[in-house]
Structure formats: structure tokens, C-alpha cells
Amino acid sequence: MQRFLFLFLLPILAFAVDPEVAAKNAQTFGIWTLVPPIVAIVLAFITKDVILSLFIGVFSGTYLISIANNGVFTSFVKGFISIVQRIVGSMADSWNAGIILQVLCIGGVVALITKMGGTKAVALWLSKRAKTGISAQISTWVMGLFVFFDDYANALIVGPIMRPITDKFKVSREKLAFIIDATAAPIAGIAIISTWVGLEISLIKNGYELIGVTDINAFGIFVETIPYRFYNLFMLFFIVCTAFMGREFGGMLKAERRARTGELHSTKSRMVDVEDKTLEPKEGIKLQSSNAVIPLLVLIIGAFVSFYFSGLNALQGEALEKATANPFTFETFRETFGNADASVALFQSALLATIVAIFLGIYRKIFSVKEAIETWVKGWKTMIVTIVILLLAWSLSSVIKELGTSRYLVDMLSASTPKIVLPAAVFILGSFISFSTGTSYGTMGILMPLAIPLANAVGVNSGLEGDALHAYMIVNISAVLTGAIFGDHCSPISDTTILSSMGAGCNHIDHVQTQMPYALSICAVSILVGYMPVSLGLSIWLALPLGFLAVVLLVRFVGQKV
């Protein structure tokens, strides 16, 4: 039990700390190095407020460092001053600044697209092609995939637009809420262009710095984790299976059978519909799908172009000569993308998409320059919470690194933790934390720095090296990112779960109760067919088909015909 307790202790980093200082602190403080992450996690459970929890976690660490050389009361002042210095230092780092800017800018692009009515137009286009209950569910699923760039946008846009269609074909509000929720965070978490990717690649980069690797391409690692995001992929496939096979189980079966009689709601009170009216397009404006498609294509294509040239400028010597001689080969793309500065590339593409979206909106007389800028800034404001979490996570990580927490944990656990257990344990603990706190972001920030140093040490002690060790690291990183999404997906206090209920016009408790069996079932498939077999050496390209087959069998033999 003690081993599993230690498995979910940690956070992230931003400053260069002398390894000798970290090693000395780890030896000096011993088990006390665990205080900051324990404080952050325990407070997150108690208060349900990840920002307050991270702040106090940072302060406990700065106080601990200060008290070694100062008095009890003096350390309070020095600890507070140290927090300010670490936050400022985090913002001053060029990589972190790029991450902050691209997260804010993508938030602005999302707001502009919404204001222009582009996403609504695409949704209406999809809804007109729904002819049956199956096509209504699949159209909702496709719409959820289309709004891949942000989970909040997904919950607030898809529900109100698709609700009349699913109502028409007697699909229960619980099923609609489930489809919305299951295509919000799961798709945003694996999309290579989204409001999530900045946080995820930042955590990966900082986690690798904890083990002394500073030249890693975090975006490349992020892309490599996508096939290992078992819960995300299996859940997205599960929705399609239930729709086409017409089978459900648990509370959802009762809800769907009730809906077929014309009673779309349960007898409980209904949720109030929620839409962001300030971003609604003006009345009389022609809704055009191109208002969303054009800026998003610019964002995606611009990101790929930026990655290519950013990486090309970073190449030197023989690698540069090969890339110049053969600019469009797979090897060249691999080298350029592997050496690109993701934070700058994503910011550049987001800024270009912003300019295109503003120009398009003005050209089509949707809004004035002033209104466009105000909308863009409003989009930035929606991302402030993400930025605050990032800054505190970076600060907490710098404290963790200086205290030598990861070194202490690795020395204690690396020789005794079986490599097959670690990915599943990280996934489960990530799920538990995010379920209890209702936040994926905070869970990733708290847990990621543990998974990377611990996976590295456990892998090395298990005899892994080279590509095998790298693959094992990827599995554990994906376990953090996916476990955080699973717990958040079925948490009753999660903001996306609440927004999905509201967007679907569904009673919130009904949504949670009907979704929980589905989430737990896919969680079990992810662990038993995904993380554990892959940890034993099974190829990911065998694990994925087996997982999809397991999902089909689950729906076929556990589910019943509606």
C-alpha cells in the first residue's frame, strides 16, 4: 500500500538546478521531500480547488527549503518571496512564454470561429443529414470530433445544436449528454492542435528535464503517445458501436427504452440549457461552414509548415544537408518535426489563423475590427485558469526539483516496483485524483513528473534500454494523460461533465449515473487489454485491434437491444 501511496506524489519544473544540490537535499530532507506534492494532492481532494492546492503546495516547498537556513517565522516571508520569484521565472522562460501565448491565442481563435457562427453552420449541415436515431447519434459524434480543439467549446456547442435532432428520433437526453462528454476531453486530449496540447507538451518537456534530458522534443513524444491513449480511443469507438449495434446496458439501457416511448427526460428536474450568448453570431448573419473550416485549416496547415521550417532551421551538419537535398521525404519530415520548437510553431500558426479569421469576419461583414479584437480577447480570458495552473505547476516543479523529490522516490521505488504494474498504477491513480478533484489539467500537473523519472528508473532496473526503454516511457506518459481524462470524464464535479449535462438539457445526476458504467467498462478494457499487455512487451499494433475487438464483444454480450 505504501508503494501505491508514493506513486501519485509530484509536479513539474522550470529552473536549472544543480544535480548535486538536488541530491544533497534529497539526502538531507528524506521523506520530507514528499511534503509539497502530498500537500497539493490532499488539499485538492479536500478543497476541490486545484489552484489553491498547487499554491499551498508550492509554499510548503519554498518554506521547507528556507527553514533549513532560517528561523521559523523568517521562512514564511522568504517562502512567499520565493513563490513570486519562481512564478516570474516561469513566465520569463522562452519555452514557457511560447506555451502561454499559443494557449491564449488558440482560445482567441475558438472565440472568433464561434462568434462568426462557423461551428454552428457545420453542426446544422450535419444535423440535416440525420435520417434515423443511429445517424442522429453518429452525427453528434462527428460533430464532437469536429470540435476537436477545445472540450468546453464541444460541450457548449454540440449539445444545443444537436438536441432537436436527437429529440426528433427519440434518443434520450442521457445518451446525448454521454456522446457530448465522451467526445469532449477524449478528443481534445489527443488532438495535435488544441487548447490542451500546450499544457501536455509542457509537462512532458519538464518531466524529461527531471531526469536530466534537456534536448527532448516534447511534441514528438506527445504524438508518439497517441496510439497508447487507450481510454480515449476505445471510448470514441465505443460510442459508434452502441449506436450501430443498438445495444446499451446499465442505466443507459433504461433511459433509452424510456426515450423510445417519447419520454426523453427522467422524472427528475431538468438542467437549464446553457449557451454562451455573448459569442452567439448576430441575427441575420448568414451561417457558413467556411467561417470555421478556413481558420481551422489555416491553423492546422500553418502548424505543420511552422513545425517543418522551425525544425529545418535547427538542423546542422549532415542532417541539414540530407534535408536540403531531399526536402519532402519521410525521414526529412521526421527530423524537422523532431527538432522543431513546438511552442513557437503553434503560436505562429494560431496567430496566423487569428488574422485570417478576423479578415474573413470583416470581409463578410460579421463584425467590425473593434468587435473582432474584443471577441479575440474574450477568448484569451477563457484560458486564464489554464495559464494560472501552468504557472503554479511550473513553480511547484521547480521546488520539487530543488528538493530532490524525484531522486528520493526513484531511489526508493525503482528497484522494487515491477514494470508491468507501473503504467496501470499510474493510470488508476491519475483516474482517482481527477475523479476526486474534477480536473484533468491539475491531475496532469501533479502526476506527470512522477511518471517520467520513475518509469525511467523502473525500466532501467528491469533491463530495458534504447527503443524498449523509450517505448516504456511513452506508455507511462500516456497513462498519466489518459488516466486524468478518464477520472475527469466520470467525475460529478468535473466542469466538462456539468457542461455536457447542461448542453444536452439533461439532469446532471442522471448523466453521471448512466455514464459511469460505460466509463468504468472502457477503463477495464484499457487496463486489461491495453496497458498491462503492452507493459509485458505486446506490440501496440496488436493491442489496439484486440482492444477494439474487446469493445465490440462488450457491447454485443453485455449490452441488450433497446
Side-chain angles (χ1 to χ4, degrees):
M1 184 65 189
Q2 183 185 37
R3 180 179 301 165
F4 285 98
L5 173 64
F6 284 131
L7 284 177
F8 67 98
L9 312 175
L10 244 102
I12 342 176
L13 95 113
F15 307 110
V17 176
D18 189 341
E20 293 183 3
V21 172
K24 182 180 178 181
N25 284 339
Q27 187 174 11
T28 301
F29 291 106
I31 197 170
W32 289 97
T33 62
L34 301 176
V35 167
I38 287 178
V39 167
I41 292 171
V42 171
L43 283 179
F45 288 157
I46 296 172
T47 66
K48 314 300 181 187
D49 189 330
V50 71
I51 292 177
L52 174 64
S53 304
L54 285 172
F55 179 84
I56 297 179
V58 175
F59 180 74
S60 68
T62 56
Y63 180 80
L64 194 61
I65 292 171
S66 177
I67 203 171
N69 300 310
N70 300 282
V72 173
F73 296 106
T74 303
S75 296
F76 274 101
V77 177
K78 289 185 175 292
F80 179 78
I81 293 173
S82 180
I83 291 177
V84 175
Q85 292 173 337
R86 290 173 193 275
I87 292 176
V88 172
S90 297
M91 295 185 70
D93 181 85
S94 60
W95 168 272
N96 293 347
I99 293 295
I100 290 172
L101 288 172
Q102 67 97 352
V103 167
L104 292 170
C105 204
I106 289 178
V109 173
V110 171
L112 286 169
I113 291 173
T114 306
K115 186 67 173 178
M116 290 193 295
T119 311
K120 188 173 185 177
V122 173
L124 292 173
W125 180 85
L126 282 172
S127 67
K128 291 177 182 178
R129 280 148 183 78
K131 305 297 182 184
T132 64
I134 293 175
S135 60
Q137 292 180 56
I138 296 300
S139 295
T140 306
W141 180 79
V142 171
M143 188 64 228
L145 297 185
F146 179 78
V147 191
F148 61 86
F149 42 81
D150 184 68
D151 55 331
Y152 287 5
N154 188 310
L156 290 172
I157 292 170
V158 178
I161 292 172
M162 297 306 296
R163 192 189 312 140
I165 309 303
T166 54
D167 284 356
K168 176 183 177 181
F169 294 105
K170 297 182 179 180
V171 175
S172 69
R173 292 292 179 88
E174 290 91 336
K175 187 64 184 290
L176 175 61
F178 166 68
I179 297 174
I180 294 169
D181 209 352
T183 54
I187 191 63
I190 60 176
I192 60 174
I193 303 293
S194 73
T195 53
W196 286 53
V197 70
L199 174 73
E200 292 173 308
I201 62 178
S202 176
L203 296 178
I204 292 169
K205 179 178 183 293
N206 290 332
Y208 269 92
E209 289 181 8
L210 283 171
I211 59 174
V213 180
T214 57
D215 60 347
I216 196 73
N217 180 264
F219 185 79
I221 296 294
F222 168 81
V223 173
E224 287 186 72
T225 66
I226 293 176
Y228 296 89
R229 306 287 194 91
F230 297 116
Y231 181 81
N232 303 46
L233 298 173
F234 294 161
M235 179 56 79
L236 292 171
F237 182 66
F238 177 80
I239 299 170
V240 177
C241 289
T242 58
F244 277 113
M245 297 171 71
R247 291 177 175 271
E248 311 285 351
F249 57 87
M252 193 68 77
L253 177 63
K254 296 178 182 178
E256 282 292 273
R257 286 178 172 171
R258 184 203 68 227
R260 295 301 188 271
T261 66
E263 190 179 346
L264 301 175
H265 296 272
S266 71
T267 55
K268 299 177 183 178
S269 59
R270 303 173 185 183
M271 289 292 283
V272 178
D273 297 343
V274 170
E275 296 179 66
D276 191 342
K277 301 298 183 182
T278 62
L279 290 179
E280 279 289 294
K282 297 177 182 177
E283 291 186 12
I285 290 176
K286 182 181 179 181
L287 298 177
Q288 301 180 69
S289 301
S290 56
N291 286 338
V293 173
I294 292 174
L296 288 177
L297 283 177
V298 171
L299 179 64
I300 296 169
I301 295 172
F304 278 97
V305 173
S306 295
F307 274 118
Y308 181 84
F309 285 104
S310 173
L312 188 64
N313 291 332
L315 296 178
Q316 295 179 351
E318 185 179 351
L320 179 59
E321 293 176 4
K322 288 183 178 179
T324 305
N326 303 285
F328 301 113
T329 62
F330 175 78
E331 183 179 355
T332 298
F333 279 106
R334 184 184 63 192
E335 289 295 322
T336 53
F337 276 62
N339 288 276
D341 186 333
S343 63
V344 173
L346 288 170
F347 175 53
Q348 289 173 337
S349 61
L351 194 58
L352 180 60
T354 296
I355 295 171
V356 171
I358 291 175
F359 175 80
L360 192 63
I362 294 172
Y363 175 76
R364 291 179 170 175
K365 299 180 180 180
I366 296 174
F367 43 55
S368 64
V369 175
K370 181 180 179 181
E371 290 173 328
I373 298 299
E374 288 176 349
T375 301
W376 188 57
V377 171
K378 180 177 176 61
W380 279 49
K381 291 178 181 178
T382 63
M383 304 308 298
I384 292 299
V385 172
T386 302
I387 301 305
V388 173
I389 291 175
L390 273 173
L391 290 172
L392 289 173
W394 286 329
S395 302
L396 180 53
S397 130
S398 71
V399 172
I400 295 299
K401 187 175 183 183
E402 188 171 340
L403 280 173
T405 307
S406 60
R407 180 165 187 141
Y408 173 77
L409 282 174
V410 167
D411 289 344
M412 174 179 292
L413 299 174
S414 59
S416 59
T417 303
K419 73 182 182 72
I420 185 178
V421 170
L422 187 60
V426 168
F427 176 83
I428 292 170
L429 289 168
S431 304
F432 181 68
I433 294 170
S434 59
F435 178 83
S436 302
T437 60
T439 170
S440 298
Y441 282 17
T443 300
M444 293 174 187
I446 288 171
L447 197 56
M448 182 64 78
L450 162 71
I452 291 178
L454 198 53
N456 180 67
V458 170
V460 170
N461 285 336
S462 300
L464 300 180
E465 58 184 16
D467 291 340
L469 178 60
H470 177 72
Y472 186 67
M473 298 277 285
I474 296 296
V475 175
N476 281 277
I477 292 171
S478 72
V480 174
L481 300 175
T482 311
I485 287 175
F486 159 64
D488 178 77
H489 185 206
C490 55
S491 173
I493 61 172
S494 164
D495 44 12
T496 49
T497 305
I498 294 169
L499 288 175
S500 297
S501 301
M502 292 179 171
C506 172
N507 177 272
H508 182 56
I509 300 303
D510 288 342
H511 170 45
V512 173
Q513 289 177 342
T514 53
Q515 178 168 269
M516 185 77 73
Y518 285 1
L520 290 172
S521 299
I522 300 303
C523 169
V525 173
S526 301
I527 293 173
L528 298 177
V529 187
Y531 287 113
M532 295 189 74
V534 166
S535 299
L536 288 172
L538 181 68
S539 168
I540 182 62
W541 306 116
L542 288 176
L544 282 176
L546 287 175
F548 291 134
L549 176 60
V551 171
V552 172
L553 295 176
L554 172 69
V555 177
R556 173 62 183 82
F557 293 105
V558 178
Q560 298 179 40
K561 279 286 186 180
V562 175

